Amino acid sequence: MWCPAYSLTIEREVDPRPYVRVRDADLVWFGRNVEASQCAAGATRALACDDPVMGTPPLLTAADVDAYRSSLSNWGRWGDDDERGCANHLRPEHTAAAAALVRRGRSVSCARTLATEPAIDNQRPVEHHMTGTVTEGYGADWFGIAPHGYATSHLDALCHIFWDGQLYGGRPADVVTAHGATKLGVHTLRDGIVARGVLLDIPAALGVDALEPGTAITVEDLEVAEARADVRVGTGDVLLVRTGRWRWREQHGPWDPREQLAGLHASCLPWLHEREIALLGSDGVSDVHPSHVVDVRLPIHTVGIVAMGLHLLDNLDLDALADACREEERAAFLLTVAPLILRGGTASPVNPIATL
Amino acid sequence: MWCPAYSLTIEREVDPRPYVRVRDADLVWFGRNVEASQCAAGATRALACDDPVMGTPPLLTAADVDAYRSSLSNWGRWGDDDERGCANHLRPEHTAAAAALVRRGRSVSCARTLATEPAIDNQRPVEHHMTGTVTEGYGADWFGIAPHGYATSHLDALCHIFWDGQLYGGRPADVVTAHGATKLGVHTLRDGIVARGVLLDIPAALGVDALEPGTAITVEDLEVAEARADVRVGTGDVLLVRTGRWRWREQHGPWDPREQLAGLHASCLPWLHEREIALLGSDGVSDVHPSHVVDVRLPIHTVGIVAMGLHLLDNLDLDALADACREEERAAFLLTVAPLILRGGTASPVNPIATL
Amino acid sequence: MWCPAYSLTIEREVDPRPYVRVRDADLVWFGRNVEASQCAAGATRALACDDPVMGTPPLLTAADVDAYRSSLSNWGRWGDDDERGCANHLRPEHTAAAAALVRRGRSVSCARTLATEPAIDNQRPVEHHMTGTVTEGYGADWFGIAPHGYATSHLDALCHIFWDGQLYGGRPADVVTAHGATKLGVHTLRDGIVARGVLLDIPAALGVDALEPGTAITVEDLEVAEARADVRVGTGDVLLVRTGRWRWREQHGPWDPREQLAGLHASCLPWLHEREIALLGSDGVSDVHPSHVVDVRLPIHTVGIVAMGLHLLDNLDLDALADACREEERAAFLLTVAPLILRGGTASPVNPIATL
Amino acid sequence: MWCPAYSLTIEREVDPRPYVRVRDADLVWFGRNVEASQCAAGATRALACDDPVMGTPPLLTAADVDAYRSSLSNWGRWGDDDERGCANHLRPEHTAAAAALVRRGRSVSCARTLATEPAIDNQRPVEHHMTGTVTEGYGADWFGIAPHGYATSHLDALCHIFWDGQLYGGRPADVVTAHGATKLGVHTLRDGIVARGVLLDIPAALGVDALEPGTAITVEDLEVAEARADVRVGTGDVLLVRTGRWRWREQHGPWDPREQLAGLHASCLPWLHEREIALLGSDGVSDVHPSHVVDVRLPIHTVGIVAMGLHLLDNLDLDALADACREEERAAFLLTVAPLILRGGTASPVNPIATL
C-alpha cells in the first residue's frame, strides 16, 4: 500500500502469504531534520506486494555496513594519489567495445528537464533568468543550480560524501573547503565516461509500471533483471537501475523522496564491487529510502563513494531509454557522461546520452 | 603584428610581398558599447603573416551578407515547425558510422574548465559556492552561470540570435520573453548530438602554434586543413575549427576577445551550407573579430543561426583534441555533445567528448 | 471559519445575524495560473466572524475600480517627469516633525528575517551561500534574492505594476526591459523615506490576535483603528496596516497567501488618496486576497501604484512594532525606509526602522 | 605622487622638507594573492604631499597591534553572551538626542548605487536579472550580491573577521560554517542603528578634493577635522570618515583599491576605543591600504571587529552628505543604518540615511 508523504504510517503487520515482501527493518528516515528518535525501532511495515519474484532484503546492521568499509575498499588499489576510483575499471578497450554496440544510431537522453519550479521533491529549484530578450534584441540567460538533492540529474563527485571524517582514499574531510574541494572534485572526470551502459529495468522485470516508493531492490532482483534482459553487468560498465520513479510520479503526483524512494538495498554493495562497474546510476538516488539499516541513512552513497570510489548518477530519467531498449530489444548500449568541468565541484548536472 | 587589447592600432599599410595577408576590410568592433562611428571605414591593417598558404578573405559588404539570408536559408526545409535546423542533417546512419570510427577507445574533453575568476576575457565569471564542507559533514555546492560570452564552452541555441526581429524559421522575436524562449530553446537538442566530429586545426595546417587574434579564416584555409588532414567535411558532421586561442593566451596573456579574435570570415558561409554540417564549433566563437564586414558584427552567428539554423559551439578548448588527433594520426572521431535540458534556454554549458 | 489553502470551499451562505461579516463578492484568486473561469461568479462565502465592529465591504465591480484610474490619478500632479509619486507628499517639514516624535529612543525593526527555507508562502527562498568560513579564515557570503512575492519584506517600485500597457505617469510598459526599468526604478527613492509612521493595528482594534486570512479591511475598520489609537493619518505619513498575519501563521501554520490573505478592500483607495499618505505598508501585501472584485486581482497594487504613484511595503513584520506601540501608548513614530539603490530595480528588500 | 594600480613603484626616498609626509613603513599589500615576499621590508615611499597639516603616522609593528588586542578589548564588557559589541555604546538616550538634531528635515543617502558592472574595483559585480518585463506584463527582478569587497556599501558583521582562530568575545572560528555563522551574524543588529552620525571630512579639512589613494589618516588628522567642524566625536556616535575616494575616482578613473586606498592608520585605534563610538564607516574600508604595519594587513578590521566588537560600514558614498553638511553648516545629524536581517550573515548591503 502506497502511503503519500506526510501521512506515512508504520504498521507492524506480517502478511502470512509466502512471497509477500515484508520490510521488517527499523525504518530510518533520511534528511537533516530527522532525529534518531524518529526511528521506530522494531516497527515492521508489511506491504501487499504479492509478487513472487522480488527478493527479500536480508537484515543488515550498521556493523555489517561498517564491515563493507574494509571488505569492499578500493583505497590504494589504483595508487595512493588516485582520484578516479571505480572509473579506473573503464579501460580504453571497454570504450572501444562499447562504441561497437551502436547499431541503429539512435540517441536518447537519460536526464530530466532541469526543474525550475518548487515542489515537494524539488526544494531548491534551478533559477533560470533571462538577460536578453525581445527588448534587448538577442536571447541570453543565466541559471543557478544546486545539483544535489532529488530533482536534478547529476553526477556525484567523490568529494560529496565523508565517512568518519574521511573521503575516498583516506583524504581528510578538510580538503572540502568553502572555496571548493582541493581533492576529488568533479573535474577529475573531465574527459567524460564513454562506456557500455546496461539498463536493468526492475519494474519491467517484475511486470509492473513502477516500483512503489520505498521498495528495496536486492541482488536477486538485479539478477532477475539481468536474466530477463539477457545481459551480464561486468567490468567497466555503467549500470543504470530503473525504478520507474517518474512514471509513478505521473500517476500519483509528487511526494517527499527523502522519506520513501525505491533503490538498492545495502546488501547489493558486494555485488556491485564484484561486478567492477565504473559508474552506478538510477532514476532515484541508488540508495533506497528508508535504508532498512538502522543508523545508516545512505549505505550505497557511503560505501560506494567513500570505500569503493564509485561515482553515482542520481535522479536520471530512464523512461525514454527503457522504451528505446524495449523497441530495439537490447539492454546494453554506448553511454556518454560528460560532466561540466567545475574545479573542486561536488557534482555536475549531466545529460547522459545513450546511443543504440 | 599582435596588438594587445586596449592598444589596438589601426594602420593603413600594405605589405608588398606577394603572399602577405592583408586584412583590408574596414574594421568593425563587436560589443554593445561600440558605435558605428568607431568603424574606421577604409582603414587597413597589414599583418606580417608571411605564410604563403593563408587565403585572402574576399571583400564582403553588408549587402552580400544580407543576400546570404535568402541564398543560404533553411527556413521550411525541414517543415514549418522545425526547431532543430542543421541538426537535421545528422541522421541515425551518420551516428552509427561515427561510432564505428572509434578505434583506440580514447576520450578527450573539448571544454575549458569553468572560469570562476574575472578577467578581461571573462566579464561574468561562473559563481561557485559551497553549501556543504567539512563543517557540515558532506560536500555540496551551487553554481551560477551565464554561458554566453567569451569564457564558457557552450552550445548556442537557435533562439540566441535575431535578425530584423526574426528568429530561425521566421519566428517573431517576442517568442524570447523574460520567462524563457517559447520556441527554439536549447532543450530542443535534449537527446544530444552524437556525430562524426572533424577537427580542422588551422594553425597546425599553417605550421604555427596559434593564429594571431583577429585572423580571418577563409574557405581556402579550411580546404588546406582538410587536405593536410586527409579528411572531407560532409553531411551531418560536427566541424570543429581550431585557432589555437588558448595557446596564444598562454604565451601572451589574456586580451579582450571582443576586439580581436581569430575565426571564420563571412565568406565561409556558403561553404558551411554546402557541406551540410550539423554543428559548428571553435575555440573562439566561430566569427572572426572584427568581422571585416562593415556594419555586420557577427555574420557567422547571424546567417548561421538565423538563416541556416546552425547551432554553434563557442569557446571550446581544442588543444587536447589536437594533440590526440596528431598522436592518433586522424582528424575524424566520434563526438558527443550533451546539453543540459534547460527549457527555453538560450545556451547550455557543454563538455563535448571526442572519442578516438 | 478558516479554510486552509488547497481545501478552500466556496459556499453560498448568508448568516442571518445582524453584524456578521459576509464576504459576498465573487471570489477571485490571485496568481499567474488562475483563469477568469475560476472566478465563481455569484458565489458567496459566509464567515462566522461575529464581531460587530468590522465594516462590510461595499460591492465593487471592475468598472468601479477602473473609474478610480482617473478619479484618483496623480499623473502630472508633480510634473510630467515625476518618478516619486505619492512620496512627494512627504516634505522636509514632515520629516522634521516626525523626528520630533522620538521620545524614548527605542528602535524597532518592521522586517522579517530573510526567509531562506522553501514553504507554501515562500516559493522562491533567499539563497544564502557562505564564501568564507572557518576553512578560509574569515567570514564572507553571498545571497540571491527575488524580493517580490509573499515572503520578503520589500518596497515595491513604481515600475512593478502595469495597467493596460502603462506605468505611473503614462510611461509605456516597454520601459521595463530585461536589462532593468529605464524609468521608475527603485533607485528613485535613493535618499530613503524618513517620515511619520502610523500603525493601524486592525486586530487589536477588534480585540483579536489576528485577522483571519482573506479578511477584507474597510474604511470603517481603518477609522475605528484610528479612533482607538487616537491618531489621524495625514499628509506625508507612512501608513502601516497590521493584520496579524505572522501571529496567525504561528498559531495555524503556513498557508498559500495567494489564495487568502487579509488586506485592504479596494474601497479604501479613495480614502488613501484623500489622506495623502506617502507610502503604504502591511504585514500582508496591502491587497486582500481574494480581492472581492471580479476580474481585478490586485486593485490596491494597480490603482495605488499605477494611478496614484503609491509605493508599497509588502510582507512587513509589524508584531514587534505593535508591542512597542502598546507599551509606549502611541501609534505614531519616526519611520525610516532605506531601500538599496538598485538602478532600474522593481523592488528592494528593506528593513524599515521605527523609532519611538 | 599618485601611482595608478599595477604600476606601483616602491621607492626609498626621504623628502627633507619639514612637513612632507613620509610613509616609511614597510608596504604590505592586501589581498589573497599577496605573498609575504611581496612585502619589501625596509622599503620607504616618500610622497610629495607637502601639506603641513597632515599628521605623520607613527611607526607601528605587528607587536604593537597585537598589544591592542588586550588593551582595547571589549570582551566581556557587556556580558559573556554579548553579540553587539560597540553597538552597546548606543543607548536610547543617545538615539533620542540624535533625533533632536533634525532641523531641516533633509535626508541624504550614504550609499553607492549597487555596482553591476565589473571593474578593477568591482571584482564580483552585483548580478541583477529581470524576471518580469514588458513581455510578462509586470516588473519583477532578482539580484545576487556578495557584499564584501570594495564596491558595495555594506555593514560588516562581527563574524566577518577572525584573529588567531577567534572571533569577538572569544568565540571559536568554527562558529562560521558553510551554513552561516551561528554567532555574531548581521541579524544581531536587526533593529538597526539610529544614532548621531558625525562626518569627519578629511580632504575638506585639508583643503583638497580628495585624499590620494594610500594616504594614512592619523589621530591628528581626525582632530583637525573635528576642530574644523566644531564637533567632538563621542559615546554612541556613528563616525563617518570621508576620504574623497569617489571624487578621486571620477577624476582619475578606477584603480585597484586592494593596493592603495586612503583610510585610518592603525594608531587611530586607541582613539576610536576611547571615544566609544558605536559604529565606524568610511567611503573606503576604514583601513588604509597598504596598512603601513608589517605583517598586519587590516589592523582596523582586526582590532576593531575582533577585539573591540566594532561594526564597520565599508564603501559608503559620503560625497552627497559632505555637500549637505557644508550647505547646512553642520557635521552631526541623525543617522539610520538598517541592515537586512540575514540570519548568520557576515554582512548586509545597506543604505544609511542621514537626516539633517
Side-chain angles (χ1 to χ4, degrees):
Chain A
M1 188 194 66
W2 155 243
C3 311
Y6 296 137
S7 64
L8 181 70
T9 55
I10 303 171
E11 322 154 41
R12 174 175 287 282
E13 181 188 322
V14 179
D15 192 303
R17 287 174 298 170
Y19 293 105
V20 162
R21 178 69 154 286
V22 179
R23 297 205 186 95
D24 51 3
D26 304 312
L27 298 179
V28 182
W29 275 258
F30 170 74
R32 58 178 164 175
N33 297 318
V34 174
E35 302 303 316
S37 64
Q38 289 181 256
C39 305
T44 301
R45 191 159 69 101
L47 300 187
C49 308
D50 52 354
D51 60 83
V53 299
M54 287 205 76
T56 300
L59 263 172
L60 280 190
T61 66
D64 295 324
V65 172
D66 204 55
Y68 289 154
R69 192 193 314 215
S70 49
S71 63
L72 307 184
S73 171
N74 286 323
W75 293 13
R77 180 173 182 168
W78 297 286
D80 287 347
D81 293 336
D82 176 53
E83 301 195 55
R84 294 172 54 83
C86 291
N88 286 295
H89 285 309
L90 175 65
R91 293 188 300 274
E93 55 268 32
H94 298 127
T95 297
L101 293 172
V102 175
R103 289 198 296 262
R104 181 90 68 175
R106 174 179 181 179
S107 289
V108 182
S109 166
C110 299
R112 300 185 72 210
T113 297
L114 293 177
T116 55
E117 290 301 319
I120 183 69
D121 55 1
N122 188 19
Q123 298 286 304
R124 297 288 178 198
V126 174
E127 286 277 340
H128 180 209
H129 301 152
M130 298 295 284
T131 57
T133 67
V134 60
T135 56
E136 287 70 43
Y138 58 87
D141 48 4
W142 173 97
F143 64 98
I145 188 168
H148 291 295
Y150 291 83
T152 298
S153 302
H154 69 270
L155 174 72
D156 278 346
L158 296 185
C159 62
H160 176 41
I161 301 287
F162 311 163
W163 198 354
D164 289 345
Q166 286 188 308
L167 282 67
Y168 170 71
R171 278 88 174 185
D174 61 13
V175 301
V176 185
T177 76
H179 283 175
T182 60
K183 292 286 175 189
L184 301 172
V186 74
H187 64 275
T188 55
L189 293 191
R190 63 179 301 134
D191 288 320
I193 295 292
V194 183
R196 186 174 82 139
V198 175
L199 175 71
L200 295 186
D201 185 343
I202 309 300
L206 297 175
V208 296
D209 273 356
L211 298 186
E212 184 184 335
T215 303
I217 296 166
T218 61
V219 169
E220 188 182 335
D221 302 330
L222 296 172
E223 296 190 342
V224 165
E226 272 188 318
R228 176 182 176 281
D230 194 23
V231 71
R232 183 183 160 83
V233 174
T235 302
D237 284 349
V238 178
L239 170 59
L240 302 178
V241 179
R242 181 175 175 270
T243 69
R245 175 184 178 192
W246 306 113
R247 201 140 294 171
W248 186 277
R249 193 183 194 272
E250 285 166 24
Q251 294 168 3
H252 297 81
W255 72 94
D256 190 341
R258 293 169 296 186
E259 299 198 350
Q260 289 181 299
L261 195 64
L264 299 181
H265 186 261
S267 54
C268 297
L269 283 161
W271 187 92
L272 297 172
H273 183 69
E274 178 214 328
R275 293 301 183 93
E276 299 192 330
I277 58 172
L279 217 62
L280 172 65
S282 175
D283 49 4
V285 298
S286 287
D287 268 293
V288 63
H289 292 345
S291 74
H292 303 265
V293 184
V294 176
D295 290 341
V296 181
R297 296 194 304 190
L298 295 165
I300 304 290
H301 272 68
T302 309
V303 177
I305 292 180
V306 183
M308 294 169 58
L310 179 64
H311 290 82
L312 301 180
L313 292 163
D314 291 343
N315 308 313
L316 301 178
D317 185 335
L318 301 172
D319 290 356
L321 177 61
D323 291 345
C325 282
R326 192 175 52 246
E327 289 162 18
E328 306 287 340
E329 297 184 337
R330 53 194 301 195
F333 38 81
L334 175 66
L335 188 78
T336 303
V337 182
L340 301 179
I341 310 173
L342 181 62
R343 184 168 300 282
T346 71
S348 174
V350 288
N351 181 7
I353 303 292
T355 307
L356 289 78
Chain B
M1 186 194 65
W2 156 244
C3 313
Y6 296 136
S7 64
L8 181 70
T9 55
I10 304 171
E11 323 155 40
R12 175 174 286 282
E13 179 188 322
V14 179
D15 193 302
R17 287 172 299 169
Y19 292 105
V20 162
R21 179 68 153 287
V22 178
R23 298 203 187 93
D24 53 2
D26 304 312
L27 298 178
V28 181
W29 275 259
F30 170 73
R32 59 177 162 176
N33 297 318
V34 173
E35 302 304 316
S37 64
Q38 289 182 257
C39 306
T44 301
R45 189 159 69 101
L47 299 188
C49 310
D50 51 353
D51 58 84
V53 298
M54 285 205 77
T56 300
L59 261 171
L60 278 191
T61 66
D64 295 325
V65 172
D66 204 55
Y68 290 154
R69 191 193 317 215
S70 48
S71 64
L72 306 184
S73 171
N74 286 323
W75 292 13
R77 180 173 182 168
W78 297 287
D80 286 346
D81 294 335
D82 177 54
E83 301 195 56
R84 294 171 54 81
C86 292
N88 287 295
H89 285 309
L90 174 66
R91 294 188 299 273
E93 56 267 32
H94 298 129
T95 297
L101 292 172
V102 175
R103 290 197 296 263
R104 181 89 69 175
R106 172 180 182 177
S107 288
V108 181
S109 166
C110 298
R112 300 185 71 209
T113 297
L114 292 177
T116 55
E117 289 301 319
I120 183 71
D121 54 1
N122 188 19
Q123 298 286 305
R124 297 288 178 198
V126 174
E127 286 278 339
H128 180 209
H129 302 151
M130 298 295 284
T131 57
T133 67
V134 60
T135 57
E136 287 71 43
Y138 57 87
D141 48 3
W142 171 97
F143 64 98
I145 187 168
H148 291 295
Y150 291 83
T152 299
S153 302
H154 69 270
L155 173 72
D156 277 346
L158 296 185
C159 62
H160 176 42
I161 300 287
F162 310 164
W163 197 357
D164 289 344
Q166 288 188 306
L167 282 66
Y168 170 70
R171 277 90 173 184
D174 61 14
V175 301
V176 185
T177 76
H179 284 173
T182 60
K183 292 287 175 189
L184 302 172
V186 74
H187 64 275
T188 56
L189 293 190
R190 62 178 301 133
D191 287 320
I193 296 291
V194 183
R196 186 174 83 140
V198 175
L199 176 70
L200 295 187
D201 185 343
I202 309 300
L206 297 174
V208 297
D209 273 355
L211 298 186
E212 182 185 337
T215 303
I217 296 165
T218 62
V219 168
E220 187 182 336
D221 302 329
L222 295 172
E223 295 189 342
V224 165
E226 271 188 318
R228 177 182 174 280
D230 194 21
V231 69
R232 182 182 160 85
V233 174
T235 302
D237 284 350
V238 178
L239 170 59
L240 302 178
V241 179
R242 181 175 177 270
T243 69
R245 175 183 178 192
W246 307 112
R247 201 140 295 170
W248 187 278
R249 193 183 193 272
E250 285 165 23
Q251 293 168 3
H252 298 82
W255 72 95
D256 190 341
R258 293 171 295 187
E259 299 198 351
Q260 289 181 299
L261 194 64
L264 298 182
H265 186 261
S267 54
C268 297
L269 282 160
W271 188 91
L272 298 172
H273 183 70
E274 177 213 328
R275 294 299 182 96
E276 298 192 331
I277 58 173
L279 218 62
L280 173 64
S282 174
D283 50 4
V285 297
S286 288
D287 267 293
V288 63
H289 291 345
S291 73
H292 303 267
V293 185
V294 177
D295 291 340
V296 180
R297 296 193 302 189
L298 294 165
I300 304 290
H301 273 67
T302 308
V303 176
I305 292 180
V306 182
M308 295 170 58
L310 180 63
H311 290 83
L312 301 180
L313 292 162
D314 291 341
N315 307 313
L316 301 178
D317 185 336
L318 300 171
D319 290 355
L321 176 62
D323 291 345
C325 282
R326 192 175 51 248
E327 290 162 19
E328 307 287 340
E329 296 184 339
R330 52 194 301 196
F333 38 82
L334 175 66
L335 187 78
T336 302
V337 181
L340 301 179
I341 309 175
L342 181 61
R343 184 169 301 279
T346 72
S348 173
V350 287
N351 180 6
I353 303 292
T355 307
L356 288 79
Chain C
M1 188 193 65
W2 156 243
C3 313
Y6 294 139
S7 65
L8 180 70
T9 55
I10 303 171
E11 322 154 42
R12 174 175 286 281
E13 180 188 324
V14 179
D15 192 303
R17 287 174 299 172
Y19 293 105
V20 162
R21 178 69 155 287
V22 178
R23 297 204 187 94
D24 51 4
D26 304 312
L27 298 178
V28 181
W29 275 258
F30 169 74
R32 60 177 162 176
N33 296 319
V34 174
E35 301 304 316
S37 63
Q38 288 181 256
C39 306
T44 301
R45 189 158 69 102
L47 299 188
C49 308
D50 51 354
D51 58 83
V53 298
M54 287 205 79
T56 300
L59 263 171
L60 279 190
T61 66
D64 296 324
V65 172
D66 205 56
Y68 290 154
R69 191 193 316 216
S70 47
S71 63
L72 307 184
S73 171
N74 286 323
W75 293 13
R77 180 172 181 167
W78 297 285
D80 286 347
D81 293 336
D82 176 55
E83 301 196 54
R84 294 173 55 83
C86 292
N88 287 295
H89 285 308
L90 175 66
R91 294 189 299 274
E93 55 268 34
H94 298 127
T95 297
L101 293 173
V102 175
R103 289 198 295 264
R104 180 91 67 177
R106 173 178 181 179
S107 289
V108 181
S109 166
C110 299
R112 301 185 71 210
T113 297
L114 293 177
T116 55
E117 290 301 319
I120 183 70
D121 55 1
N122 188 19
Q123 298 288 303
R124 297 287 178 198
V126 174
E127 286 277 340
H128 180 209
H129 302 152
M130 298 294 285
T131 58
T133 67
V134 60
T135 56
E136 288 70 43
Y138 58 87
D141 48 5
W142 173 98
F143 65 97
I145 188 168
H148 291 295
Y150 291 83
T152 298
S153 303
H154 69 271
L155 174 72
D156 277 346
L158 296 185
C159 62
H160 176 41
I161 300 287
F162 311 164
W163 197 355
D164 288 344
Q166 287 188 307
L167 283 66
Y168 170 70
R171 277 88 173 185
D174 62 12
V175 302
V176 184
T177 76
H179 284 173
T182 60
K183 292 287 175 188
L184 301 172
V186 74
H187 64 275
T188 56
L189 293 191
R190 61 180 302 132
D191 288 319
I193 296 290
V194 183
R196 186 173 82 139
V198 174
L199 176 70
L200 294 186
D201 186 342
I202 309 300
L206 297 175
V208 297
D209 272 357
L211 298 186
E212 183 184 335
T215 302
I217 295 166
T218 62
V219 168
E220 187 182 334
D221 301 331
L222 295 172
E223 296 190 343
V224 165
E226 272 188 320
R228 176 182 176 279
D230 194 21
V231 69
R232 183 183 159 85
V233 174
T235 301
D237 284 349
V238 178
L239 171 58
L240 302 178
V241 179
R242 181 174 176 269
T243 69
R245 175 184 178 192
W246 307 113
R247 202 140 294 170
W248 186 277
R249 193 182 194 272
E250 284 165 25
Q251 294 168 3
H252 298 81
W255 72 95
D256 190 341
R258 292 170 296 187
E259 300 199 350
Q260 288 182 299
L261 195 64
L264 298 182
H265 186 262
S267 53
C268 297
L269 283 161
W271 188 92
L272 297 171
H273 183 69
E274 178 214 325
R275 293 300 183 95
E276 299 194 328
I277 58 172
L279 218 63
L280 173 64
S282 175
D283 49 4
V285 298
S286 287
D287 269 293
V288 63
H289 292 347
S291 74
H292 303 265
V293 185
V294 176
D295 290 341
V296 180
R297 296 194 305 190
L298 295 165
I300 305 291
H301 272 67
T302 309
V303 176
I305 293 179
V306 183
M308 294 170 57
L310 179 64
H311 290 82
L312 301 180
L313 292 163
D314 291 342
N315 308 313
L316 301 178
D317 185 336
L318 301 172
D319 290 355
L321 177 61
D323 291 345
C325 283
R326 192 175 51 247
E327 290 162 18
E328 307 287 340
E329 297 183 338
R330 53 194 300 197
F333 37 81
L334 175 66
L335 187 78
T336 302
V337 182
L340 301 178
I341 309 174
L342 181 61
R343 184 169 300 282
T346 72
S348 173
V350 287
N351 181 6
I353 303 292
T355 307
L356 290 76
Chain D
M1 184 194 66
W2 156 244
C3 312
Y6 296 136
S7 63
L8 182 70
T9 55
I10 304 171
E11 321 155 41
R12 174 175 286 282
E13 180 186 322
V14 179
D15 193 302
R17 287 174 297 170
Y19 293 105
V20 163
R21 178 70 154 285
V22 179
R23 299 205 186 93
D24 52 4
D26 304 312
L27 298 178
V28 181
W29 276 258
F30 170 73
R32 58 179 165 176
N33 298 317
V34 174
E35 302 303 317
S37 63
Q38 290 182 256
C39 305
T44 301
R45 188 159 70 102
L47 299 189
C49 309
D50 50 354
D51 59 83
V53 299
M54 285 204 78
T56 300
L59 262 172
L60 280 191
T61 66
D64 296 323
V65 171
D66 204 55
Y68 290 153
R69 192 193 316 215
S70 48
S71 63
L72 306 184
S73 171
N74 286 323
W75 293 14
R77 179 173 183 167
W78 297 286
D80 286 348
D81 293 336
D82 176 55
E83 301 196 56
R84 294 171 54 83
C86 291
N88 287 295
H89 285 308
L90 174 66
R91 293 189 300 272
E93 57 266 34
H94 298 127
T95 297
L101 293 172
V102 175
R103 290 198 295 263
R104 181 90 70 174
R106 173 180 182 178
S107 289
V108 181
S109 166
C110 299
R112 301 185 71 210
T113 297
L114 293 177
T116 55
E117 289 302 319
I120 182 71
D121 54 2
N122 188 19
Q123 297 287 303
R124 297 288 179 197
V126 174
E127 286 277 340
H128 180 209
H129 301 151
M130 297 296 284
T131 58
T133 67
V134 60
T135 56
E136 287 69 43
Y138 57 87
D141 47 4
W142 172 97
F143 64 96
I145 187 167
H148 291 294
Y150 292 83
T152 298
S153 303
H154 69 271
L155 174 73
D156 277 347
L158 296 185
C159 62
H160 176 42
I161 301 287
F162 311 164
W163 196 355
D164 288 345
Q166 287 188 306
L167 282 66
Y168 170 70
R171 278 89 174 184
D174 61 14
V175 301
V176 185
T177 76
H179 284 174
T182 60
K183 292 286 176 192
L184 301 173
V186 75
H187 64 276
T188 56
L189 292 190
R190 61 179 302 133
D191 288 319
I193 296 291
V194 183
R196 186 174 82 140
V198 175
L199 176 70
L200 294 187
D201 185 343
I202 309 300
L206 297 175
V208 298
D209 273 355
L211 298 186
E212 183 184 336
T215 303
I217 296 166
T218 61
V219 169
E220 187 181 337
D221 301 330
L222 295 173
E223 295 189 342
V224 164
E226 272 188 320
R228 176 182 176 280
D230 193 21
V231 71
R232 182 182 160 85
V233 174
T235 302
D237 284 349
V238 177
L239 171 59
L240 302 178
V241 179
R242 181 174 177 271
T243 69
R245 175 183 178 193
W246 307 112
R247 201 140 294 171
W248 187 277
R249 193 183 194 271
E250 284 164 25
Q251 293 168 3
H252 297 81
W255 72 96
D256 191 341
R258 293 170 296 187
E259 299 198 350
Q260 287 182 299
L261 194 64
L264 299 181
H265 187 261
S267 54
C268 297
L269 282 161
W271 188 92
L272 298 172
H273 183 70
E274 177 214 329
R275 294 299 183 96
E276 299 193 329
I277 58 172
L279 217 62
L280 173 65
S282 174
D283 50 2
V285 297
S286 288
D287 269 293
V288 63
H289 292 345
S291 74
H292 302 267
V293 185
V294 176
D295 290 340
V296 180
R297 295 194 303 190
L298 294 165
I300 304 290
H301 272 68
T302 308
V303 175
I305 291 180
V306 182
M308 294 170 58
L310 180 63
H311 290 83
L312 301 180
L313 292 163
D314 291 342
N315 308 313
L316 301 178
D317 185 335
L318 301 172
D319 290 355
L321 177 61
D323 291 344
C325 282
R326 192 175 51 247
E327 289 162 18
E328 306 287 339
E329 296 184 339
R330 53 195 300 195
F333 38 81
L334 175 66
L335 187 77
T336 303
V337 182
L340 301 179
I341 310 175
L342 182 61
R343 185 169 300 281
T346 72
S348 173
V350 286
N351 180 7
I353 303 292
T355 306
L356 288 78

